[in-house]
Amino acid sequence: MNAAAVRVLAVSGSLRAGSYNSAVLRAAASLAGPEVKIELWDGLAAVPPFSEDDEATPIAAVEALRAAIGASDALLIATPEYNSSVPGQLKNALDWASRPYGASVLSGKAAAVIGTSPGRFGGKLAQAELRKVLTTCGAEVVGDELTVPKANEALGEDGLPVSEELRTALLTLLGALADAVRAKTA
């Protein structure tokens, strides 16, 4: 691996074992070249509901989330769409990451979003909501909208995109993340 590789923390907004979101993130990790290192974070289920009462003494799962985000150069989040929005568990994790006020690990962090769905719109509404939440939390959302409609058909048995269009879109999004990170250090 290149010593200057951009470290991307990939977060799936789905808790489902057979998640299309997790599969798309694994595909992105497989496609990433040596200049981008993707780590899949799988601690979402352990993050408790956000409460300001617990903000001063967060549990280990929250500390692990914040540490993982803090150690990364960028975030790549894939979200399903539940009732035209992001899943509550994902929003909850972002609430924790955005605190304490003024010291958020999301502040200034480059982030990109993928929306997936077995339907024909690819989580378009959830992706828009997630981009808004990330921006409000201080992240720098980069890249064009990337939806993966018919996600159950989008990846082949090898786990990689079936279409060249999706393969190109994933690589373009990873390039946008890497460019945003490098622009900050230039």
Side-chain angles (χ1 to χ4, degrees):
M1 183 181 76
N2 182 344
V6 173
R7 298 162 306 181
V8 176
L9 183 68
V11 178
S12 173
S14 175
L15 301 178
R16 192 170 65 85
S19 166
Y20 303 127
N21 296 280
S22 298
V24 166
L25 292 174
R26 286 191 300 272
S30 293
L31 293 173
E35 294 187 7
V36 176
K37 179 182 183 278
I38 297 178
E39 174 191 345
L40 271 67
W41 183 73
D42 64 357
L44 188 62
V47 177
F50 175 75
S51 170
E52 286 184 56
D53 292 340
D54 300 326
E55 188 174 1
T57 56
I59 69 166
V62 171
E63 293 294 344
L65 167 65
R66 289 175 177 164
I69 294 171
S72 71
D73 297 316
L75 287 174
L76 177 61
I77 302 176
T79 184
E81 186 169 293
Y82 297 161
N83 299 314
S84 300
S85 191
V86 296
Q89 192 70 17
L90 177 57
K91 171 64 168 69
N92 178 66
L94 294 173
D95 289 341
W96 275 111
S98 73
R99 305 297 282 215
Y101 182 76
S104 166
V105 293
L106 295 171
S107 184
K109 186 74 61 177
V113 177
I114 301 170
T116 71
S117 170
R120 63 184 184 172
F121 298 113
K124 187 175 186 75
L125 296 173
Q127 184 178 161
E129 290 287 317
L130 184 54
R131 292 170 75 91
K132 178 179 78 173
V133 168
L134 285 166
T135 300
T136 300
C137 290
E140 178 191 339
V141 181
V142 301
D144 292 331
E145 181 177 270
L146 174 53
T147 59
V148 183
K150 299 184 181 178
N152 53 318
E153 302 171 7
L155 302 176
E157 288 186 26
D158 60 0
L160 296 175
V162 172
S163 75
E164 190 60 36
E165 182 181 347
L166 179 55
R167 180 184 299 261
T168 300
L170 285 170
L171 288 171
T172 299
L173 194 59
L174 293 176
L177 274 175
D179 289 348
V181 169
R182 289 190 185 107
K184 289 181 186 185
T185 59

